[in-house]
Amino acid sequence: MLIGGKLRSKYAGEHIDYALFGVFPAAIEADILIACGTSPSANQGGDRPQINLQNFNPKYLPSTFSRARSSSDLVESDPSLKIDTTHLKWESYVKAAYLGTLAFLRGQGGDKEGGLESGEKEDWNLLIDGRVPAGSGLSSSAALVVSATLTFLLLSRSSSKQHPQIAKSTLVSLSIESEKRVGINSGGMDQSASILAQGDAALYIDFYPSVKAEVVRVPGSSSGKGGYAWVIAHSCVVSDKVVSREGGYNLRVFETRVGARLLASALGLPTSDKPLLLREVVQLYIDKEASSSKKLTLAQALDEFITQVDLLFDTTGLPPSDPSTLIPKVPVTIEDLVRLSGLPQDNFTEIYLQSKIDPSRNKGGGFLIRERTRHVLEEARRVLEFRELCRDRDGDSGSENLKETMERLGSLMNASQKSCDTLFDCSCPEIGQITGIARAAGALGSRLTGAGWGGSTISLVENEKVKGFFEKLKEEYEPYKKMGEEEFAKVVFATGMGAGAGIWVV
Ligand code: NG1
């Protein structure tokens, strides 16, 4: 059997999924494929059969870990099942999927029915292939977790002679929870896109009040003259969310959560003993205004927040930032945040400090709550505008006003890049260079895609300009200069929109 999990790229909405705001991704054509099968256990003398992993890429060494004997026989009793989140390896993502699937099937009412008991003495063999480099910001980690989750569901069900049946929405939440096992407090965008995508269209994925996806067609997709291409260019800087999580991804999750709490108290909205997320705060505001007969759409509420955000933070007593450098005059410390939250230290720690964070990597060495919050609110607003522009045309690629629409989409992408660079500080000099070259080569918009701190860019380019665009990137971006054609084509490519994860019985 062959199982495919899709990689994704994003048109709009960076670092807002974990604040529960809607995002606008699409699956790209590249994927991660797993071929799987079973064999009589080679470990007959031993007490349990194995899961054997091999990767086509010789960089990723083969790996083996044990199948659980029963649902109660988990990590505690078998070190081979443990994920060392301080030294992640490629197979950690497969283990995360395995442990997540075990926990899920156990919750479903039994490991026997799910075929998890290894009484049958059968090894499971997985051969994995992926065409896009890891750490390229195209969510290869989520594609691997999704495809491995599907594989284990399939193998456990087929060994109990049942057909696998799982709602896509359940598979989405299962994959999101599984990937958290590697130690990243990730949002759900990548797994949702990898599973729910439909060919030739993007998705608007909303996380509030629960995950739902709307298929939205992006204009300009006709091939040839008058059409537009989406070009991915990898910066060749590995974006490793895990290595940089304490001063990067997990720190940003923390800053935006605390920002939500401070905003809520500045607005006199109820706060609770769990981390309020920014989308929830906006909803509390919409509901409060509705009770005094002022009806606000999400876009209108965001506009009000955006115009007031600096003011609101001032009333909480946060030190004002210097607008020219965005560095606060006084670094905001954890003690400041505890005081401003109004929570006792223990509660604050329990609610917000579940993962280790290190603000010393921030400009100025302190927390930048105002800048992070502003990015999330403005980026969420850009996503709504991007979606409206696409919805209005509903895939119509006729020439009337098309250029104007595409230019507006491009300028939203550029604004997003600027915000990721200055407010959220998740870009890097190399991404800055590529997006600069891309715009000079005629891209209507260019931005990073994914968590940032390396990884890839996505650019919107008129079809007629694509050839020259590729040449310009190759001439001007240092790491591309010495690449042969084949190597260059792996890191810079135009992509259509692919369909979501699937299973092929061969
Ligand atoms: P990438 O860099 O593609 O893995 C990560 C998160 C997303 C989202 C983006 C930033 C995971 C699996 N994915 O994407 O949920 O927060 O960063 O927009 O952690």
Side-chain angles (χ1 to χ4, degrees):
M1 258 170 301
L2 205 55
I3 290 103
K6 293 308 284 192
L7 278 74
R8 71 104 193 86
S9 144
K10 201 146 10 105
Y11 300 115
E14 228 54 86
H15 287 278
I16 62 172
D17 56 346
Y18 48 79
L20 298 186
F21 283 109
V23 291
F24 202 86
I28 61 173
E29 284 158 346
D31 41 27
I32 291 219
L33 292 173
I34 301 182
C36 69
T38 60
S39 59
S41 179
N43 193 20
Q44 291 293 349
D47 62 350
R48 65 180 85 174
Q50 310 285 329
I51 295 178
N52 303 310
L53 308 179
Q54 295 232 31
N55 200 308
F56 261 106
N57 186 336
K59 187 170 127 194
Y60 302 119
L61 299 176
S63 171
T64 290
F65 58 95
S66 303
R67 282 180 61 191
R69 197 171 20 223
S70 71
S71 59
S72 54
D73 170 35
L74 286 176
V75 189
E76 301 76 29
S77 60
D78 185 349
S80 85
L81 281 170
K82 191 169 166 6
I83 299 174
D84 179 357
T85 55
T86 57
H87 292 99
L88 286 179
K89 299 186 178 146
W90 75 277
E91 66 265 25
S92 307
Y93 294 88
V94 182
K95 272 188 206 171
Y98 180 65
L99 294 172
T101 310
L102 270 175
F104 169 75
L105 289 178
R106 187 166 46 155
Q108 290 272 299
D111 44 346
K112 275 207 175 96
E113 293 78 0
L116 289 173
E117 282 205 358
S118 53
E120 296 168 41
K121 294 279 177 199
E122 201 175 57
D123 282 353
W124 290 351
N125 307 309
L126 277 61
L127 177 62
I128 295 156
D129 192 20
R131 292 291 142 98
V132 171
S136 51
L138 299 171
S139 68
S140 52
S141 64
L144 181 53
V145 170
V146 165
S147 46
T149 302
L150 264 178
T151 304
F152 291 126
L153 281 169
L154 208 62
L155 285 169
S156 47
R157 297 291 165 148
S158 70
S159 67
S160 71
K161 311 284 180 287
Q162 288 183 13
H163 294 296
Q165 269 189 355
I166 181 168
K168 282 189 176 178
S169 55
T170 313
L171 183 60
V172 168
S173 23
L174 169 54
S175 306
I176 295 173
E177 288 314 309
S178 295
E179 190 155 348
K180 289 189 179 154
R181 290 172 186 264
V182 300
I184 286 283
N185 299 330
S186 64
M189 169 180 51
D190 297 344
Q191 301 83 355
S192 309
S194 180
I195 293 164
L196 304 173
Q198 305 202 4
D200 290 335
L203 291 174
Y204 172 68
I205 302 179
D206 200 358
F207 299 94
Y208 183 85
S210 56
V211 181
K212 57 182 179 310
E214 174 194 341
V215 175
V216 183
R217 292 193 295 153
V218 178
S221 57
S222 59
S223 56
K225 199 165 183 296
Y228 293 79
W230 298 91
V231 179
I232 306 286
H234 184 12
S235 63
C236 304
V237 176
V238 172
S239 160
D240 194 329
K241 293 188 297 288
V242 174
V243 170
S244 58
R245 65 192 153 189
E246 288 162 19
Y249 197 91
N250 284 355
L251 176 60
R252 296 296 182 276
V253 174
F254 169 84
E255 288 173 313
T256 53
R257 285 184 178 176
V258 173
R261 180 170 201 100
L262 301 189
L263 261 188
S265 32
L267 287 162
L269 299 168
T271 48
S272 67
D273 281 352
K274 65 178 180 69
L276 261 182
L277 302 175
L278 275 164
R279 174 67 181 86
E280 293 170 325
V281 173
V282 175
Q283 193 60 41
L284 286 172
Y285 180 75
I286 292 175
D287 295 346
K288 184 177 159 208
E289 295 298 289
S291 66
S292 48
S293 306
K294 182 174 165 194
K295 282 207 162 54
L296 288 174
T297 61
L298 176 58
Q300 288 165 335
L302 280 169
D303 286 340
E304 291 197 3
F305 270 72
I306 290 163
T307 43
Q308 287 186 43
V309 70
D310 288 340
L311 218 60
L312 290 170
F313 277 119
D314 280 346
T315 63
T316 67
L318 274 183
S321 61
D322 176 345
S324 64
T325 59
L326 295 167
I327 299 173
K329 291 184 184 110
V330 184
V332 179
T333 63
I334 196 81
E335 290 74 28
D336 293 328
L337 294 180
V338 174
R339 179 174 47 79
L340 293 166
S341 75
L343 288 166
Q345 168 86 53
D346 287 357
N347 284 23
F348 186 91
T349 306
E350 195 188 318
I351 301 174
Y352 294 105
L353 287 170
Q354 299 287 357
S355 317
K356 252 172 97 184
I357 45 165
D358 173 14
S360 67
R361 300 251 308 275
N362 275 347
K363 287 179 191 154
F367 296 98
L368 292 167
I369 307 297
R370 177 203 312 250
E371 287 77 6
R372 310 309 186 217
T373 308
R374 178 175 274 288
H375 165 82
V376 173
L377 297 171
E378 292 180 349
E379 186 78 348
R381 185 68 185 85
R382 278 189 285 272
V383 170
L384 295 180
E385 200 175 334
F386 203 100
R387 182 191 65 178
E388 286 321 300
L389 284 166
C390 294
R391 265 189 190 162
D392 283 352
R393 292 195 73 103
D394 190 23
D396 166 24
S397 290
S399 59
E400 201 182 336
N401 301 332
L402 180 62
K403 179 110 197 245
E404 197 185 306
T405 304
M406 301 315 280
E407 280 170 354
R408 286 175 68 191
L409 293 178
S411 64
L412 286 170
M413 293 169 74
N414 291 334
S416 168
Q417 172 59 27
K418 184 163 180 217
S419 181
C420 285
D421 188 22
T422 56
L423 293 176
F424 217 69
D425 196 14
C426 62
S427 187
C428 65
E430 293 82 355
I431 294 278
Q433 272 173 38
I434 298 189
T435 51
I437 300 170
R439 282 181 214 119
L444 298 180
S446 186
R447 63 191 288 276
L448 66 82
T449 179
W453 300 289
S456 298
T457 58
I458 180 164
S459 304
L460 174 58
V461 188
E462 285 167 78
N463 282 343
E464 295 125 87
K465 294 195 177 155
V466 168
K467 195 166 167 282
F469 178 84
F470 277 45
E471 283 164 7
K472 188 109 178 135
L473 277 180
K474 178 113 178 54
E475 272 163 34
E476 293 195 9
Y477 185 59
E478 205 52 46
Y480 297 156
K481 286 186 183 168
K482 50 185 182 303
M483 286 183 182
E485 248 174 61
E486 207 180 312
E487 199 185 348
F488 181 67
K490 277 191 190 149
V491 288
V492 180
F493 52 91
T495 178
M497 296 166 209
I503 299 170
W504 297 266
V505 180
V506 287

